[in-house]
Amino acid sequence: MSREALVERRTTETNIRVKLELDGSGTWQGSSGIPFFDHLLAQLARHGLLDLKVWAEGDLEVDNHHTVEDIGICLGQALKEALGDKAGIGRYGSALVPMDEALVQVVLDCSGRPYLAWGLELLPGRIGSLETELVEEFLRALVNNSGLTLHARQLAGHNSHHLAEALFKALGRALRQAVTLDPQVAGVPSTKGSLT
């Protein structure tokens, strides 16, 4: 069974197309028009062993917010669609990832109940052309549209580049754990019989 999805979103502000394959090899293709954000998405794909393609056109002359948020929306919808009824998945995932002085932990649950516990302190400003505040906005859009419960914590560090990169690597690794099919899991991993 193929666990993949293609999601498109067109508004007056953006035109986004996201293709996601859960059982991939960690490949990234595409462009958001925001180079450092592309770098973060590439880290997510690589460390999550996800095949991810993003085609995006947005009103970047206004700011990056609409594009980043809408990619989060589309990726969240693609993840939800690719997971289907979630039968046989591990459901939970966690990762603790260092990058130089930075140490970030991500713990998540494919619960069907969207919640973001944000525990990073990125300094106001930009990393390349990406506003640091948009990292949280991306995650919020992702969890709200995928149904993930996600906790992200900064255990150490001060460099925003290192923190953001460690976050996306940890997110990829935690997601890989959660979505991997486990032959010992019969049906949906919930006593309710459903994860919605």
Side-chain angles (χ1 to χ4, degrees):
M1 180 180 74
S2 177
R3 298 194 305 159
E4 59 184 50
L6 175 65
V7 172
E8 299 183 38
R9 176 180 172 86
R10 183 185 291 267
T11 71
T12 58
E13 299 166 339
T14 64
N15 182 12
I16 311 288
R17 191 169 180 238
V18 170
K19 184 175 182 184
L20 174 67
E21 185 174 343
L22 295 181
D23 303 304
S25 58
T27 64
W28 153 258
Q29 291 181 329
S31 174
S32 65
I34 309 163
F36 185 71
F37 187 52
D38 291 344
H39 178 64
L40 294 177
L41 293 172
Q43 297 298 328
L44 172 64
R46 179 67 175 167
H47 291 274
L49 296 179
L50 310 167
D51 288 345
L52 177 60
K53 296 180 181 179
V54 174
W55 301 269
E57 296 175 352
D59 55 355
L60 299 180
E61 71 282 359
V62 175
D63 70 8
N64 295 329
H65 190 283
H66 302 142
T67 300
V68 170
E69 182 177 39
D70 284 7
I71 290 172
I73 290 170
C74 291
L75 182 56
Q77 291 172 352
L79 178 58
K80 184 175 184 178
E81 183 180 330
L83 280 171
D85 68 359
K86 303 175 187 168
I89 66 168
R91 179 176 169 178
Y92 300 100
S94 65
L96 189 60
V97 172
M99 183 168 179
D100 298 342
E101 90 297 346
L103 183 61
V104 175
Q105 181 180 43
V106 170
V107 181
L108 60 82
D109 177 7
C110 297
S111 63
R113 297 183 304 278
Y115 182 79
L116 175 63
W118 176 256
L120 276 75
E121 295 180 7
L122 301 180
L123 296 174
R126 292 175 182 262
I127 311 166
S129 60
L130 177 68
E131 298 89 339
T132 55
E133 65 192 29
L134 295 184
V135 175
E136 181 181 0
E137 291 302 320
F138 169 78
L139 285 186
R140 192 168 310 285
L142 175 70
V143 302
N144 285 339
N145 288 274
S146 64
L148 288 178
T149 296
L150 192 153
H151 291 253
R153 293 194 311 154
Q154 172 182 336
L155 279 73
H158 58 271
N159 181 300
S160 293
H161 180 137
H162 296 166
L163 288 164
E165 193 161 329
L167 169 66
F168 274 70
K169 289 175 179 177
L171 176 59
R173 289 183 167 269
L175 199 53
R176 168 59 29 208
Q177 278 184 9
V179 305
T180 294
L181 294 171
D182 184 338
Q184 291 186 298
V185 176
V188 176
S190 171
T191 54
K192 295 186 299 186
S194 174
L195 288 171
T196 57

